[in-house]
Amino acid sequence: MNLDEKYRVWKERPTPLNVPPDFTGEVMRRVHLEAGQRQAQWNWPGVLEFCQRNVSFQYAALAVAAIAGLSRLWLIFFAILQP
Amino acid sequence: MAEDSDTVKRVLNGDVDSFRILVERYQRPVLSMIRRLIWDSHRCEEIGQDVFVTAFQKLSTFDPARSQFSTWLFTIARNLSINARKKKLPLPMEALPETPVSRNPSHDLSDKEIFMQLDETVKALPGKLQRAFVLAEIEQMPYEEIARIEGARLGTIKSRIHRARARIYAAMKDMKGDIT
């Protein structure tokens, strides 16, 4: 057998590859875990979506804004009314 | 492959389960490639899983206009294999050769011994030559794809493959015995 044939036989010899039966399942378990962690992290689009969807949060924010606005005007009311 | 790009889009839009299609499609070639690059079947599975998890994490950086999904995935596999080899963990006992390879030049080698000595020659090649050789000759990848994975010019890859093959032929010349 010459070198080329020897090389070809070596290169093309069958080398069975055992892919573990649960390989896909294990990868997908880790991928789902990764995706879950990613969702749990705060990001700006997520915060905006929360503000947009949560009505209770919107009322609370409105009340806080109103109180903050009125408290700024308090000195003016005090000066006009002079109780 | 256009199907890969569609699947990637679905995964990026939140359909995580579609990633299974990509894993099932590429698990065999990725594991085969890693096995040949790190020569350790025990760590091959672990690194293979890391390849797919890394691909999932970085999926938004994949640009179908720049490369095929397979090339992008094999580049991740190549990088993680290089990192794994740098760690140089001791080989598990089961990964060691079952029979010692004879170094006695007067004795004709068996088929198994010839194969093992040639494998050892490939393992002893410098990393760049070894990767180019394994991807081209064993994994039968097109030279252009290897060039993209390695980030090298086509001519450089051809030269590396040629040099690796020359070393293997030189090793074969020194061997006594024939394959039956």
Side-chain angles (χ1 to χ4, degrees):
Chain A
M1 191 181 274
N2 64 30
L3 289 181
D4 287 333
E5 286 170 335
K6 205 186 265 189
Y7 176 78
R8 191 179 50 76
V9 171
W10 165 70
K11 202 180 74 171
E12 292 172 4
R13 75 190 190 281
T15 48
L17 174 72
N18 295 322
V19 178
D22 193 35
F23 185 84
T24 311
E26 180 58 24
V27 171
M28 289 308 292
R29 195 185 63 76
R30 286 178 60 185
V31 160
H32 275 287
L33 196 68
E34 179 67 33
Q37 283 172 351
R38 201 181 292 176
Q39 274 183 349
Q41 286 171 355
W42 282 97
N43 53 23
W44 282 113
V47 172
L48 292 175
E49 196 181 341
F50 172 81
C51 297
Q52 202 177 357
R53 287 188 180 183
N54 195 320
V55 178
S56 306
F57 173 81
Q58 289 170 9
Y59 278 120
L62 195 63
V64 169
I67 292 166
L70 286 174
S71 66
R72 282 173 173 262
L73 295 174
W74 178 249
L75 273 177
I76 299 171
F77 290 149
F78 190 83
I80 296 169
L81 298 175
Q82 290 181 343
Chain B
M1 206 189 281
E3 297 166 30
D4 288 343
S5 298
D6 293 340
T7 312
V8 168
K9 273 181 201 163
R10 285 205 301 275
V11 177
L12 288 174
N13 287 332
D15 180 7
V16 177
D17 284 319
S18 287
F19 194 70
R20 180 185 291 275
I21 297 167
L22 297 172
V23 179
E24 282 171 355
R25 190 174 294 156
Y26 289 107
Q27 60 184 0
R28 186 164 282 277
V30 164
L31 287 176
S32 174
M33 175 185 170
I34 295 168
R35 184 180 65 167
R36 296 290 190 178
L37 292 180
I38 65 166
W39 300 91
D40 181 349
S41 55
H42 291 259
R43 291 173 64 207
C44 169
E45 186 191 334
E46 174 196 330
I47 297 165
Q49 289 190 4
D50 287 345
V51 168
F52 286 104
V53 174
T54 306
F56 178 78
Q57 286 170 335
K58 298 188 174 177
L59 206 56
S60 57
T61 66
F62 166 64
D63 181 1
R66 285 182 62 194
S67 72
Q68 289 184 339
F69 178 77
S70 59
T71 307
W72 183 76
L73 188 68
F74 290 139
T75 307
I76 294 174
R78 173 237 187 221
N79 293 342
L80 293 188
S81 300
I82 291 173
N83 291 345
R85 283 187 59 152
K86 278 180 189 165
K87 286 181 186 168
K88 284 185 180 172
L89 291 176
L91 277 175
M93 290 304 288
E94 302 92 276
L96 294 172
E98 291 167 11
T99 49
V101 178
S102 170
R103 298 288 175 196
N104 180 1
S106 63
H107 144 254
D108 274 6
L109 300 172
S110 68
D111 290 4
K112 194 177 178 184
E113 287 172 329
I114 291 173
F115 291 156
M116 282 170 73
Q117 282 204 11
L118 289 175
D119 284 347
E120 290 296 326
T121 309
V122 176
K123 282 185 214 174
L125 289 172
K128 286 178 182 176
L129 297 194
Q130 190 188 119
R131 286 196 301 275
F133 176 81
V134 164
L135 297 181
E137 295 289 275
I138 315 281
E139 299 298 326
Q140 303 284 319
M141 268 187 204
Y143 287 6
E144 290 81 6
E145 188 167 10
I146 300 169
R148 280 193 286 271
I149 290 170
E150 287 289 316
R153 287 182 187 176
L154 187 60
T156 309
I157 294 300
K158 284 181 183 173
S159 160
R160 287 176 189 169
I161 295 165
H162 178 76
R163 278 155 58 203
R165 204 183 287 157
R167 290 198 194 186
I168 288 161
Y169 269 74
M172 278 195 295
K173 273 184 193 167
D174 294 340
M175 282 178 203
K176 279 202 165 188
D178 222 340
I179 298 170
T180 50

